[in-house]
Amino acid sequence: MIQSLRGMNDILSSEYERFEYFLTTASEIAKRYGFHYIETPLLEETALFKRSVGESSDIVGKEMYQFTDKGGNDVCLRPEGTAGVVRAFVQHKLDKKGGIHRFYYHGPMFRYERPQKGRLREFHQFGVESFGVDSVYEDALMIMMVSDTLKALGIGHRLKLNSLGDQNCMPAYREKLVRFIESCEDAICPDCERRKLTNPIRVLDCKNEGCQALYVKAPKLIENLCDGCLSDFDTLKTILDNHAIGYEIDTNLVRGLDYYSKTAFEFVSDDIGSQSAIAGGGRYDRLIEFLDGKSTPAVGFALGIERLLELIVMPEPTRRGYYLGAMDPESIPDILKAAESLRQSEKAVVDYEAKSLKAHLKGADRINARYCAVIGENERKEGTIWIKDLVEKQESTLPLTHLIMKENA
Ligand code: HAM
């Protein structure tokens, strides 16, 4: 039997209910915040991710679904959404237009990671990207949006916050850090050896326990920020305090993608095991120019949908629409006509098998219908339909034409 690939799951209808509820809730909140939907292709030129997510990142270095297509192009399945949205922003010359552009998106992402609980090779993100706002208020807006979304879904969380500095303070910090790494070089893991050369700050979130113990003494990013970055970080904290959004400063939070500067944040859940990051984001003011666009400030985030699904507190299911059935085969055409008419505005599901009223009531219950509508020999002869409202527990018999006309009105 052919199975789906490891780390790539089907989403069955029974699970999609949660998925859809998440998408509706998150999209509605994004729209309320003034964001507009954007969709970009799943497949992009490999160079896009090399130049944005960064060659030194694990995502580009080890996890890309990369191949040569039939035209000889080096392409890959997108491992994340930001790069594609930035490409579209530049390609469609929105950078040249100026002003503020706010987008949201959702869809599958692909990373060739070792699958485990909460870590898939094909997973889904809901993300937003905001272009053109320099103010740290926009960074706060991002965090408020994630917080609002998680609150609306009933998901408990913690927020980790850091500042990664900018081109004024980062180069000097990086040098300081490299000197520190060199001072303990004999004891660090091979991955950190590599990171020291490619992107030294990534050593700070090394998972190796030996390295972690060493880096306790490493110079801290937050203590090496320039005045501008420090002042923005203080303002951000004040805004979050004013909005009663709790946070923890995590000086080792460096994120797994190379394009960030200044604000970096992650939302984590303590209820889903080791893959606890449910959302991540931050500012990336240099990325647009790295991808040949006009320098434009930008900030965004993405939520990992699969990691959230089991945490969502679903609203009580409400009974909806009609279940229609016939008690004899001759009544089936009338039932079909009624269903066709109802479907102009309502959910209407037909059972094609002639059976008893009791069996139809059970069927209506099974699909959580609000109304059970049945036609038997008597109703057919009288041109009526029997309807039970399964919420109000009220029964009535209506002329079939009345029902059809009502729905067509
Ligand atoms: P990221 O932190 O790599 O950021 O991913 C965002 C979220 O996607 C994570 O917090 C996690 O919930 C989920 N996720 C990541 N990898 C997996 C996986 N293998 N299986 C299941 N879920 C996963 C980004 O992708 C950035 N583009 C976010 C961003 C947008 N920054 C600025 N704008």
Side-chain angles (χ1 to χ4, degrees):
M1 184 180 49
I2 297 175
Q3 305 255 339
S4 68
L5 297 173
R6 257 189 98 210
M8 300 201 175
N9 293 340
D10 301 311
I11 306 171
L12 300 178
S13 321
S14 53
E15 297 151 357
Y16 191 69
E17 212 175 298
R18 275 173 179 270
F19 205 99
E20 192 178 33
Y21 179 64
F22 166 82
L23 285 182
T24 315
T25 307
S27 305
E28 187 50 42
I29 290 174
K31 283 185 223 166
R32 272 188 238 152
Y33 275 79
F35 285 70
H36 302 275
Y37 188 72
I38 186 168
E39 187 147 328
T40 62
L42 304 194
L43 206 58
E44 298 267 8
E45 268 187 51
T46 301
L48 173 66
F49 302 107
K50 287 193 171 167
R51 284 169 59 186
S52 54
V53 177
E55 301 218 43
S56 75
S57 68
D58 284 351
I59 295 177
V60 170
K62 304 182 192 167
E63 298 167 2
M64 297 241 277
Y65 277 89
Q66 183 180 355
F67 59 96
T68 307
D69 72 8
K70 289 189 166 61
N73 304 299
D74 183 4
V75 296
C76 79
L77 286 169
R78 64 182 185 190
E80 59 103 54
T82 310
V85 176
V86 172
R87 184 213 28 79
F89 179 71
V90 175
Q91 182 174 334
H92 299 284
K93 300 191 171 46
L94 300 174
D95 56 332
K96 306 285 186 306
K97 254 191 180 169
I100 299 169
H101 303 264
R102 295 188 173 106
F103 302 107
Y104 75 95
Y105 55 90
H106 48 79
M109 309 291 160
F110 302 84
R111 297 183 191 175
Y112 196 84
E113 295 191 77
R114 197 170 47 76
Q116 64 175 84
K117 185 176 178 320
R119 195 204 275 149
L120 296 164
R121 288 182 172 168
E122 181 186 16
F123 60 98
H124 294 75
Q125 282 186 347
F126 180 96
V128 319
E129 312 296 346
S130 162
F131 300 111
V133 188
D134 204 8
S135 162
V136 74
Y137 277 94
E138 194 73 356
D139 307 37
L141 188 91
M142 298 292 124
I143 290 172
M144 283 185 221
M145 263 174 98
V146 182
S147 169
D148 268 3
T149 307
L150 295 176
K151 232 184 265 165
L153 297 165
I155 298 176
H157 54 270
R158 286 185 294 122
L159 164 62
K160 294 182 180 185
L161 203 58
N162 196 16
S163 173
L164 302 178
D166 61 9
Q167 68 263 47
N168 292 319
C169 46
M170 186 41 111
Y173 172 73
R174 200 178 287 131
E175 268 179 37
K176 220 178 190 179
L177 184 62
V178 169
R179 280 200 299 279
F180 170 82
I181 301 169
E182 281 167 349
S183 73
C184 46
E185 204 149 37
D186 298 343
I188 63 174
C189 73
D191 274 345
C192 283
E193 281 285 354
R194 183 176 50 82
R195 290 177 185 131
K196 188 192 87 177
L197 302 172
T198 52
N199 189 2
I201 66 160
R202 288 300 316 279
V203 306
L204 297 175
D205 75 348
C206 178
K207 303 291 175 279
N208 181 301
E209 282 179 15
C211 291
Q212 273 177 12
L214 287 173
Y215 302 149
V216 172
K217 294 205 188 92
K220 305 247 176 307
L221 260 162
I222 215 90
E223 289 162 8
N224 288 274
L225 297 178
C226 58
D227 289 347
C229 287
L230 199 57
S231 144
D232 273 355
F233 197 52
D234 285 342
T235 309
L236 176 61
K237 288 188 288 183
T238 307
I239 303 169
L240 297 179
D241 290 339
N242 288 343
H243 287 266
I245 294 178
Y247 54 84
E248 303 158 18
I249 305 296
D250 180 349
T251 53
N252 289 343
L253 176 71
V254 294
R255 309 275 300 125
L257 307 97
D258 290 354
Y259 47 63
Y260 294 108
S261 54
K262 293 190 167 178
T263 308
F265 60 86
E266 245 168 43
F267 283 77
V268 294
S269 160
D270 295 324
D271 304 319
I272 51 170
S274 65
Q275 299 305 306
S276 60
I278 49 179
R283 188 160 272 284
Y284 53 94
D285 289 342
R286 312 277 319 271
L287 183 56
I288 288 114
E289 57 189 287
F290 288 161
L291 293 175
D292 306 321
K294 184 176 160 211
S295 172
T296 308
V299 59
F301 70 79
L303 288 141
I305 302 180
E306 280 83 355
R307 291 189 189 170
L308 297 175
L309 287 183
E310 65 177 271
L311 300 172
I312 294 175
V313 179
M314 292 289 283
E316 281 294 307
T318 49
R319 288 188 172 276
R320 209 188 121 216
Y322 284 76
Y323 165 101
L324 298 105
M327 288 171 65
D328 57 359
E330 293 77 14
S331 299
I332 289 178
D334 283 350
I335 280 295
L336 291 179
K337 241 182 265 165
E340 186 191 5
S341 168
L342 283 167
R343 279 193 202 108
Q344 304 305 310
S345 58
E346 291 269 6
K347 175 180 171 185
V349 177
V350 175
D351 190 315
Y352 305 119
E353 208 182 309
K355 49 189 158 190
S356 71
L357 187 59
K358 199 172 157 204
H360 281 313
L361 282 165
K362 263 195 192 159
D365 203 42
R366 216 173 10 250
I367 66 157
N368 218 19
R370 164 100 194 234
Y371 301 100
C372 177
V374 176
I375 299 180
E377 192 184 346
N378 288 346
E379 288 81 9
R380 178 163 37 85
K381 286 189 177 149
E382 288 165 9
T384 58
I385 184 164
W386 177 88
I387 299 177
K388 180 165 183 181
D389 181 334
L390 298 171
V391 174
E392 301 292 337
K393 311 277 183 228
Q394 278 170 2
E395 298 171 24
S396 53
T397 302
L398 298 176
L400 192 56
T401 47
H402 176 88
L403 184 95
I404 293 173
M405 277 159 52
K406 193 180 103 191
E407 289 308 318
N408 283 342

Short mmCIF file of all heavy atoms in Angstrom, two decimals, residues 160-183:
data_model
loop_
_atom_site.label_atom_id
_atom_site.label_comp_id
_atom_site.label_asym_id
_atom_site.label_seq_id
_atom_site.Cartn_x
_atom_site.Cartn_y
_atom_site.Cartn_z
N LYS A 160 8.39 35.27 24.46
CA LYS A 160 9.81 35.53 24.68
C LYS A 160 10.24 36.65 23.74
O LYS A 160 9.87 36.64 22.56
CB LYS A 160 10.63 34.29 24.35
CG LYS A 160 10.37 33.13 25.29
CD LYS A 160 11.28 32.02 24.88
CE LYS A 160 11.13 30.81 25.74
NZ LYS A 160 12.11 29.80 25.35
N LEU A 161 11.02 37.56 24.28
CA LEU A 161 11.35 38.77 23.55
C LEU A 161 12.84 39.03 23.59
O LEU A 161 13.50 38.80 24.61
CB LEU A 161 10.62 39.90 24.29
CG LEU A 161 10.28 41.19 23.57
CD1 LEU A 161 9.42 40.92 22.36
CD2 LEU A 161 9.55 42.12 24.56
N ASN A 162 13.37 39.55 22.47
CA ASN A 162 14.79 39.94 22.46
C ASN A 162 14.96 41.03 21.41
O ASN A 162 14.08 41.26 20.57
CB ASN A 162 15.66 38.73 22.11
CG ASN A 162 17.12 38.94 22.45
OD1 ASN A 162 17.47 39.86 23.21
ND2 ASN A 162 17.99 38.11 21.91
N SER A 163 16.09 41.72 21.47
CA SER A 163 16.45 42.61 20.36
C SER A 163 17.77 42.12 19.80
O SER A 163 18.70 41.82 20.55
CB SER A 163 16.58 44.05 20.83
OG SER A 163 17.10 44.82 19.75
N LEU A 164 17.82 42.03 18.47
CA LEU A 164 19.05 41.53 17.81
C LEU A 164 19.94 42.65 17.33
O LEU A 164 20.93 42.41 16.65
CB LEU A 164 18.65 40.64 16.62
CG LEU A 164 17.78 39.43 16.97
CD1 LEU A 164 17.42 38.66 15.71
CD2 LEU A 164 18.49 38.52 17.95
N GLY A 165 19.59 43.91 17.66
CA GLY A 165 20.43 45.02 17.24
C GLY A 165 20.30 45.30 15.75
O GLY A 165 19.55 44.62 15.04
N ASP A 166 21.01 46.32 15.29
CA ASP A 166 20.99 46.64 13.85
C ASP A 166 22.41 46.80 13.35
O ASP A 166 23.37 46.46 14.05
CB ASP A 166 20.13 47.90 13.59
CG ASP A 166 20.70 49.12 14.31
OD1 ASP A 166 21.83 49.04 14.85
OD2 ASP A 166 20.02 50.16 14.32
N GLN A 167 22.57 47.40 12.14
CA GLN A 167 23.94 47.44 11.60
C GLN A 167 24.85 48.40 12.36
O GLN A 167 26.06 48.38 12.17
CB GLN A 167 23.97 47.70 10.08
CG GLN A 167 23.52 49.02 9.58
CD GLN A 167 22.07 48.98 9.12
OE1 GLN A 167 21.19 48.47 9.80
NE2 GLN A 167 21.82 49.57 7.97
N ASN A 168 24.27 49.23 13.27
CA ASN A 168 25.12 50.09 14.10
C ASN A 168 25.80 49.31 15.22
O ASN A 168 26.94 49.57 15.56
CB ASN A 168 24.29 51.21 14.77
CG ASN A 168 23.78 52.19 13.74
OD1 ASN A 168 24.52 52.54 12.82
ND2 ASN A 168 22.53 52.58 13.87
N CYS A 169 25.04 48.41 15.84
CA CYS A 169 25.60 47.75 17.02
C CYS A 169 25.95 46.27 16.80
O CYS A 169 26.77 45.71 17.51
CB CYS A 169 24.66 47.90 18.21
SG CYS A 169 22.93 47.57 17.86
N MET A 170 25.31 45.65 15.80
CA MET A 170 25.52 44.21 15.62
C MET A 170 26.97 43.83 15.25
O MET A 170 27.53 42.88 15.81
CB MET A 170 24.52 43.68 14.59
CG MET A 170 24.53 42.19 14.39
SD MET A 170 24.68 41.27 15.91
CE MET A 170 23.11 40.53 16.05
N PRO A 171 27.62 44.57 14.31
CA PRO A 171 28.98 44.14 13.93
C PRO A 171 29.96 44.11 15.11
O PRO A 171 30.72 43.15 15.27
CB PRO A 171 29.40 45.19 12.89
CG PRO A 171 28.12 45.72 12.35
CD PRO A 171 27.15 45.69 13.49
N ALA A 172 29.91 45.14 15.97
CA ALA A 172 30.83 45.18 17.12
C ALA A 172 30.49 44.03 18.08
O ALA A 172 31.38 43.37 18.63
CB ALA A 172 30.71 46.52 17.84
N TYR A 173 29.18 43.80 18.28
CA TYR A 173 28.79 42.69 19.17
C TYR A 173 29.28 41.36 18.62
O TYR A 173 29.79 40.50 19.35
CB TYR A 173 27.26 42.65 19.35
CG TYR A 173 26.83 41.40 20.09
CD1 TYR A 173 27.06 41.28 21.47
CD2 TYR A 173 26.25 40.34 19.41
CE1 TYR A 173 26.72 40.11 22.14
CE2 TYR A 173 25.91 39.17 20.08
CZ TYR A 173 26.14 39.07 21.45
OH TYR A 173 25.82 37.91 22.11
N ARG A 174 29.14 41.20 17.30
CA ARG A 174 29.53 39.95 16.67
C ARG A 174 31.02 39.68 16.92
O ARG A 174 31.42 38.57 17.28
CB ARG A 174 29.23 40.00 15.17
CG ARG A 174 29.15 38.60 14.56
CD ARG A 174 28.81 38.66 13.09
NE ARG A 174 27.43 39.03 12.83
CZ ARG A 174 27.04 39.96 11.98
NH1 ARG A 174 27.92 40.64 11.29
NH2 ARG A 174 25.77 40.21 11.80
N GLU A 175 31.83 40.73 16.76
CA GLU A 175 33.28 40.58 17.00
C GLU A 175 33.56 40.15 18.43
O GLU A 175 34.37 39.26 18.69
CB GLU A 175 33.98 41.91 16.74
CG GLU A 175 34.48 42.03 15.31
CD GLU A 175 35.16 43.36 15.08
OE1 GLU A 175 35.86 43.86 15.99
OE2 GLU A 175 34.97 43.92 13.98
N LYS A 176 32.87 40.80 19.35
CA LYS A 176 33.03 40.48 20.78
C LYS A 176 32.68 39.01 21.04
O LYS A 176 33.38 38.29 21.74
CB LYS A 176 32.05 41.37 21.57
CG LYS A 176 32.58 41.92 22.86
CD LYS A 176 31.47 42.80 23.42
CE LYS A 176 31.91 43.63 24.58
NZ LYS A 176 30.87 44.49 25.09
N LEU A 177 31.56 38.60 20.40
CA LEU A 177 31.10 37.23 20.60
C LEU A 177 32.11 36.22 20.01
O LEU A 177 32.40 35.18 20.62
CB LEU A 177 29.72 37.05 19.95
CG LEU A 177 29.04 35.70 20.15
CD1 LEU A 177 28.77 35.43 21.63
CD2 LEU A 177 27.72 35.63 19.37
N VAL A 178 32.62 36.55 18.82
CA VAL A 178 33.59 35.64 18.18
C VAL A 178 34.82 35.50 19.09
O VAL A 178 35.33 34.39 19.30
CB VAL A 178 33.99 36.15 16.77
CG1 VAL A 178 35.19 35.38 16.24
CG2 VAL A 178 32.81 36.01 15.82
N ARG A 179 35.28 36.61 19.68
CA ARG A 179 36.44 36.54 20.59
C ARG A 179 36.12 35.62 21.76
O ARG A 179 36.92 34.80 22.18
CB ARG A 179 36.83 37.94 21.10
CG ARG A 179 37.67 38.71 20.07
CD ARG A 179 38.45 39.83 20.73
NE ARG A 179 37.60 40.82 21.38
CZ ARG A 179 36.99 41.83 20.72
NH1 ARG A 179 37.16 41.98 19.43
NH2 ARG A 179 36.22 42.68 21.38
N PHE A 180 34.86 35.74 22.26
CA PHE A 180 34.46 34.87 23.38
C PHE A 180 34.46 33.41 22.93
O PHE A 180 34.97 32.53 23.62
CB PHE A 180 33.07 35.27 23.89
CG PHE A 180 32.51 34.27 24.87
CD1 PHE A 180 32.87 34.32 26.21
CD2 PHE A 180 31.66 33.25 24.44
CE1 PHE A 180 32.38 33.37 27.10
CE2 PHE A 180 31.18 32.31 25.33
CZ PHE A 180 31.54 32.37 26.66
N ILE A 181 33.88 33.14 21.75
CA ILE A 181 33.80 31.75 21.27
C ILE A 181 35.22 31.18 21.12
O ILE A 181 35.48 30.03 21.49
CB ILE A 181 33.03 31.65 19.92
CG1 ILE A 181 31.62 32.21 20.05
CG2 ILE A 181 32.96 30.20 19.43
CD1 ILE A 181 30.88 32.39 18.73
N GLU A 182 36.11 32.01 20.60
CA GLU A 182 37.50 31.54 20.41
C GLU A 182 38.16 31.20 21.74
O GLU A 182 38.96 30.27 21.84
CB GLU A 182 38.32 32.59 19.64
CG GLU A 182 38.01 32.52 18.15
CD GLU A 182 38.52 33.70 17.35
OE1 GLU A 182 38.95 34.70 17.98
OE2 GLU A 182 38.47 33.62 16.11
N SER A 183 37.74 31.93 22.79
CA SER A 183 38.35 31.68 24.11
C SER A 183 37.93 30.33 24.68
O SER A 183 38.56 29.81 25.59
CB SER A 183 37.99 32.80 25.09
OG SER A 183 36.64 32.67 25.47
#
